Amino acid sequence: MSYSGARRPRWRYMLLDATDVPLRAIDGVSGGSCEVAATTRLGGSASLTIDERGQEIDWMSHRVQIIYDPGIRGIDAWPIATMMFTSPKTKSTSTRPVHEVALLSKMAIIDEDSVAQRFSLAAGTPIIPTVVSLIQSTGETRIAVTDSDATLSNPMVWDAAESKLTIINDLLAAAGYWSLWCDGGGQYRVESYIAPADRAVAFTFEAGDVAIHASGWDREQDLSSVPNRYVVVGSGSDSAPALSAEAVNENPDSPFSIQNRGGRVITRSETGVEGSLQVLQALAERRLRDAMSPVAKLSVSHAIVPLNPNDVVDFRPRGHSARATIQRMSYGLTFDGQCSAEWREI
C-alpha cells in the first residue's frame, strides 16, 4: 500500500459512551494535539479545543476517538487514539463558548483503580487469566489477549491501595509479556513480548520519489552508559534461595561488548522478579537489549501512517540505513499535520 503522493487529509472525532460504543461525530473541533508513547506508563495524552455547538458532551463519562483520514483513494481512515475527557476549561468569546479539554489515555482507568485490601496470589496461579480478571474488575471489557499457560513460580503480594496497573504489569513481566497497553481503537492489549530483531517490519521509510519523511532528521548517541552485562534476581523464600540469570554481551561485532571495552564490565541489575529460571533468563536478555537501545535515537518527521508504539520500521534516507523501534509519536491535529516521531535503533 502506497502512502506517497497527493493527500486530502482530515481529522475526525467520534464521541463514544462509557463502553466505547460510538454515539456521533463531534463537530467544532478547532485544534489540538495528541501523543502516543511506549516510554510512559499511561501511553500518551492529548488535548482538544472544541467550539460549543450543542454537542451535549458528558465530560465525566463520554470518550473521544481521534481518527485520521489520509485522503488517499483506497486507504481507509484509522484511529490514532481513544481518550477520556478530563479538566475541561470553558472560555467565553464574542460568538460562542470554547472548551479547552485535556484528554487522558484509557490506561488511566486501570491505573487509578486500586485494590482495597492486601492482594496476594499463590504459587501456581495462572497469570494471564488473573490479568484479564483485574482489567475486567475496573469495568473494562474490550481486551485482546494472547493466551498462555504461564503460572506463578512463587507467591506474590501487593499492599492495600496498590494500583491495579502496577499489579497487572508485575504479573505480565512474570509471564514474559509486554506491559499492558491500549491501541488506537481503545482495545487493551495483553501480548507476549517479542524481541525487536524478531518483529516484522511495519513500515519502510525510503528516500526518493516515494519518500514521506522530511529530509532533515537527527541522530543522537549515548555511548558511555551502555551496559554489557545484565543480572536479574528472582524472589526467594524461606525454603529456597532466589534464582538468578544473567545476559552478557560478548559479541565481537558489538562495540559495547566486554572484549571491545578492553575487558571492562558494566553491569545493571534488577531484583525481586517473579518467574521461572527461563523467564528470568529471557528478561535478562531483554533488559540488556533494551538498555543498549538508547545508543542511537532518531528524531524524524514524516507523513502520518498507521503505526503503533514499539513497531519496527526500516529507515533508509540518503546517507544512512537503520532499523528502529517506535518510542513516541506526536501529532498536531491540523489538516497539514505531520507525525514527529522518536525511534531507537536496533
Side-chain angles (χ1 to χ4, degrees):
M1 188 72 69
S2 174
Y3 289 87
S4 61
R7 295 185 177 214
R8 299 184 64 185
R10 66 184 181 120
W11 292 95
R12 303 205 312 256
Y13 308 90
M14 181 62 65
L15 189 68
L16 314 176
D17 70 9
T19 62
D20 288 353
V21 174
L23 299 175
R24 56 189 175 275
I26 301 177
D27 296 323
V29 177
S30 56
S33 63
C34 180
E35 179 178 276
V36 293
T39 54
T40 63
R41 181 177 173 88
L42 299 185
S45 61
S47 65
L48 293 177
T49 300
I50 307 173
D51 297 338
E52 175 58 53
R53 296 182 181 178
Q55 296 97 331
E56 297 184 353
I57 298 172
D58 185 337
W59 305 116
M60 298 295 293
S61 66
H62 284 164
R63 302 170 182 183
V64 59
Q65 189 167 96
I66 301 172
I67 302 166
Y68 181 71
D69 184 346
I72 301 174
R73 185 184 298 275
I75 298 180
D76 294 331
W78 64 86
I80 296 291
T82 300
M83 299 273 185
M84 303 183 302
F85 296 104
T86 181
S87 305
K89 179 180 179 180
T90 302
K91 294 182 176 181
S92 70
T93 68
S94 59
T95 54
R96 58 168 64 92
V98 174
H99 308 290
E100 295 181 352
V101 191
L103 305 176
L104 275 179
S105 159
K106 284 180 58 181
M107 293 294 296
I109 298 171
I110 315 297
D111 191 40
E112 292 173 350
D113 199 354
S114 63
V115 292
Q117 300 174 337
R118 189 168 182 262
F119 187 75
S120 61
L121 297 171
T125 299
I127 295 176
I128 301 308
T130 303
V131 166
V132 172
S133 178
L134 281 165
I135 297 171
Q136 291 173 337
S137 72
T138 69
E140 295 298 307
T141 58
R142 297 185 58 234
I143 313 167
V145 182
T146 301
D147 292 327
S148 169
D149 295 329
T151 60
L152 292 180
S153 300
N154 295 294
M156 295 186 73
V157 180
W158 295 266
D159 292 333
E162 183 62 84
S163 164
K164 290 182 179 179
L165 181 58
T166 295
I167 297 173
I168 286 168
N169 285 341
D170 287 348
L171 290 169
L172 291 175
Y177 273 47
W178 290 105
S179 294
L180 185 67
W181 66 288
C182 198
D183 61 26
Q187 190 171 49
Y188 293 97
R189 304 283 285 270
V190 178
E191 299 174 322
S192 302
Y193 174 80
I194 300 174
D198 297 328
R199 297 175 213 165
V201 174
F203 198 84
T204 298
F205 293 86
E206 297 187 76
D209 294 340
V210 297
I212 63 168
H213 63 273
S215 57
W217 49 274
D218 296 325
R219 184 175 187 267
E220 179 183 348
Q221 287 187 292
D222 177 9
L223 304 178
S224 62
S225 61
V226 178
N228 47 29
R229 180 173 179 258
Y230 207 104
V231 177
V232 174
V233 182
S235 300
S237 65
D238 294 338
S239 59
L243 299 172
S244 65
E246 70 171 354
V248 181
N249 182 358
E250 296 178 310
N251 180 359
D253 296 325
S254 170
F256 311 108
S257 64
I258 293 175
Q259 53 268 57
N260 284 329
R261 277 180 158 154
R264 180 186 175 198
V265 179
I266 302 174
T267 303
R268 291 189 189 176
S269 62
E270 188 170 340
T271 60
V273 177
E274 168 60 31
S276 64
L277 183 59
Q278 182 181 6
V279 167
L280 297 183
Q281 185 62 47
L283 184 60
E285 294 171 1
R286 171 182 169 184
R287 290 286 192 258
L288 183 60
R289 284 192 299 264
D290 290 348
M292 292 173 62
S293 62
V295 173
K297 182 179 75 173
L298 291 162
S299 297
V300 182
S301 178
H302 60 80
I304 299 170
V305 289
L307 293 169
N308 290 310
N310 288 316
D311 277 351
V312 169
V313 296
D314 269 346
F315 188 47
R316 302 173 184 170
R318 290 185 174 89
H320 189 67
S321 180
R323 183 162 291 185
T325 61
I326 298 172
Q327 300 296 290
R328 187 183 302 270
M329 294 181 289
S330 299
Y331 308 90
L333 303 180
T334 59
F335 80 94
D336 57 350
Q338 298 278 296
C339 175
S340 296
E342 180 182 302
W343 304 336
R344 288 181 179 175
E345 288 189 8
I346 300 171

